[in-house]
Amino acid sequence: MTQLSDVMQDIRKRQRIKPYPPTEPVGFWTGEDLLDGKAVKSNTIIFRTKGCYWAQKGGCTMCGYTYDAAITPPTVEDILAQYRSVEERIDGSVVKLFTSGSFFDKSEVPEKARDEILSGLSKKASKVIIETRPEFVTDKAMEDAKKHGVRLEVAIGLETSNDKVRIDCINKNFLFKDFVKASETAAKYGITTKAYLLLKPPFLTEKDAMEDMIKSVLDAAPYAGTISINLCNVQRGTIVDELFRKNAYRPPWLWTIVEIIKRVHGKTNSVIMSDPLAAGQARGPHNCHVCDYEFADAIRKYSMTQDIRSFDGLKCDCRLLWEKTLELEGWTFGSPLIY
Ligand code: SF4
Ligand SMILES: [Zn+2]
């Protein structure tokens, strides 16, 4: 039987990958984040590594980040050169370290490079958020990271609390209990956890995706002080992209995320955030294209204030279409009714 990993590997083989210098990070930008309830400046660094080991085996059905990976694995010096190329520009209270994989995977970021980066950041940032898969959140890694004295948070792409959806729709090869274990391991060292959840993986109707997200937020909250809801966007070279091009996938409605936040607001102690990337574009979360920017602004405002009144006054005629989508998509076996 063909597995999702086989399909993903086949798609990945067909992609043309641009060779990048191993000393150049994938990206660096300045934004905003919440720190102890206050909006503060943040910096995000995406290191170029050999890439996520799981993506190399096929990986997740929506993930195109692997195409940013270096063709030959960067050395310790290469990774440190990437850090130094942006070091001067780091001026945020919160610094986020991404690799399009796992910063704690030694085969992506060798321990020596990890140590030097965290030691450097301990003099600059109030808090460092590190993206990783749960299997790399070990006692040893947490102990080593903690010794630099900077406040840390591990950010894990849990995507959903439903193991069936995570395995059968996303092809992410870990279970909810692995996420719980990672969060508990981190907590032993005073390290908090942020959970990334994915709204609308492929093969789910809009309504099922909405219900899955509401449940996932409530399930993840006891283990994650911050929950970031990622609205699925269509990245090239993925199963989501193949479905999108066959009119068999539509990114989530912005009405859906607003409804989710309204339903979970006040029911957890976690900070709930969402940054609607590519909102208003066909490949990103959208409503009718008339009201999209207004919705995206309200979602960003809620994320920075946690004030549910951010959604007051949002209205548009497309609400009726969204309601019909929720009602009828179950009859089309998940095929989108409206693009
Ligand atoms: S989503 Fe994360 S775990 Fe999945 S393939 Fe992409 S980088 Fe790897
Ligand atoms: Zn609209």
Side-chain angles (χ1 to χ4, degrees):
M1 195 174 76
T2 308
Q3 305 284 331
L4 281 174
S5 288
D6 300 331
V7 180
M8 280 302 293
Q9 257 177 340
D10 188 51
I11 294 172
R12 299 220 193 271
K13 268 187 226 137
R14 282 188 266 124
Q15 306 307 309
R16 278 226 222 110
I17 300 172
K18 223 174 129 189
Y20 297 95
T23 50
E24 202 178 83
V26 175
F28 173 88
W29 66 86
T30 298
E32 257 195 331
D33 207 330
L34 268 190
L35 181 64
D36 302 327
K38 279 203 205 96
V40 296
K41 204 171 186 183
S42 71
N43 301 120
T44 302
I45 311 171
I46 307 185
F47 289 97
R48 194 178 312 281
T49 68
K50 76 171 196 21
C52 170
Y53 86 89
W54 178 237
Q56 282 149 13
K57 293 183 180 174
C60 304
T61 52
M62 74 306 183
C63 180
Y65 295 126
T66 185
Y67 306 120
D68 291 330
I71 288 176
T72 47
T75 61
V76 172
E77 288 67 34
D78 291 336
I79 301 264
L80 288 175
Q82 293 182 32
Y83 176 66
R84 293 204 181 99
S85 74
V86 299
E87 195 175 15
E88 293 271 286
R89 286 148 66 203
I90 297 173
D91 59 356
S93 304
V94 172
V95 176
K96 304 181 203 181
L97 304 179
F98 293 167
T99 67
S100 307
S102 299
F103 188 81
F104 283 119
D105 177 354
K106 285 184 281 185
S107 71
E108 283 191 59
V109 181
E111 279 166 308
K112 190 169 182 307
R114 186 205 297 166
D115 273 349
E116 282 207 31
I117 292 165
L118 289 178
S119 158
L121 288 175
S122 67
K123 292 168 204 109
K124 285 177 166 271
S126 304
K127 179 176 176 184
V128 179
I129 302 177
I130 300 176
E131 190 182 44
T132 184
R133 284 178 53 99
E135 59 266 44
F136 300 111
V137 182
T138 59
D139 283 289
K140 165 99 173 60
M142 296 303 98
E143 209 174 337
D144 286 355
K146 197 62 201 170
K147 70 178 183 232
H148 299 288
V150 65
R151 181 169 161 190
L152 294 173
E153 184 158 275
V154 287
I156 300 174
L158 170 66
E159 320 299 5
T160 163
S161 63
N162 183 318
D163 286 338
K164 195 164 167 50
V165 172
R166 193 176 328 91
I167 302 294
D168 292 349
C169 299
I170 305 175
N171 196 39
K172 198 153 206 164
N173 64 335
F174 68 78
L175 301 175
F176 185 65
K177 68 176 168 57
D178 301 318
F179 163 78
V180 171
K181 186 167 167 246
S183 165
E184 289 172 348
T185 303
K188 279 198 265 169
Y189 299 89
I191 298 173
T192 51
T193 296
K194 175 176 187 174
Y196 285 110
L197 299 177
L198 179 72
L199 176 59
K200 207 170 176 201
F203 316 121
L204 291 187
T205 62
E206 191 79 18
K207 186 157 192 287
D208 288 346
M210 184 169 86
E211 301 298 345
D212 176 67
M213 182 54 69
I214 291 167
K215 184 164 181 343
S216 297
V217 170
L218 301 177
D219 289 342
Y223 309 98
T226 305
I227 294 175
S228 178
I229 304 176
N230 287 340
L231 313 184
C232 191
N233 58 65
V234 182
Q235 299 179 6
R236 289 186 200 280
T238 63
I239 285 181
V240 169
D241 186 25
E242 302 263 312
L243 292 170
F244 174 76
R245 285 191 278 131
K246 292 185 170 82
N247 287 344
Y249 179 81
R250 183 205 190 275
W253 287 74
L254 294 165
W255 282 111
T256 305
I257 176 65
V258 171
E259 182 68 21
I260 290 164
I261 295 175
K262 284 184 175 170
R263 292 225 216 147
V264 298
H265 178 82
K267 296 213 173 89
T268 78
N269 292 323
S270 306
V271 170
I272 313 284
M273 313 188 86
S274 182
D275 183 10
L277 283 181
Q281 295 173 28
R283 288 176 163 264
H286 60 271
N287 285 344
C288 67
H289 298 301
V290 173
C291 62
D292 294 339
Y293 295 111
E294 198 189 337
F295 271 67
D297 285 348
I299 295 160
R300 288 193 188 100
K301 188 169 167 208
Y302 174 83
S303 300
M304 283 302 125
T305 60
Q306 301 293 291
D307 186 346
I308 201 69
R309 289 170 301 181
S310 310
F311 302 124
D312 283 359
L314 277 184
K315 55 177 192 260
C316 184
D317 290 347
C318 69
R319 184 177 170 99
L320 192 63
L321 288 176
W322 170 71
E323 284 172 354
K324 283 286 161 209
T325 298
L326 293 184
E327 189 188 325
L328 298 174
E329 238 176 36
W331 299 95
T332 64
F333 302 96
S335 287
L337 280 169
I338 294 155
Y339 297 95

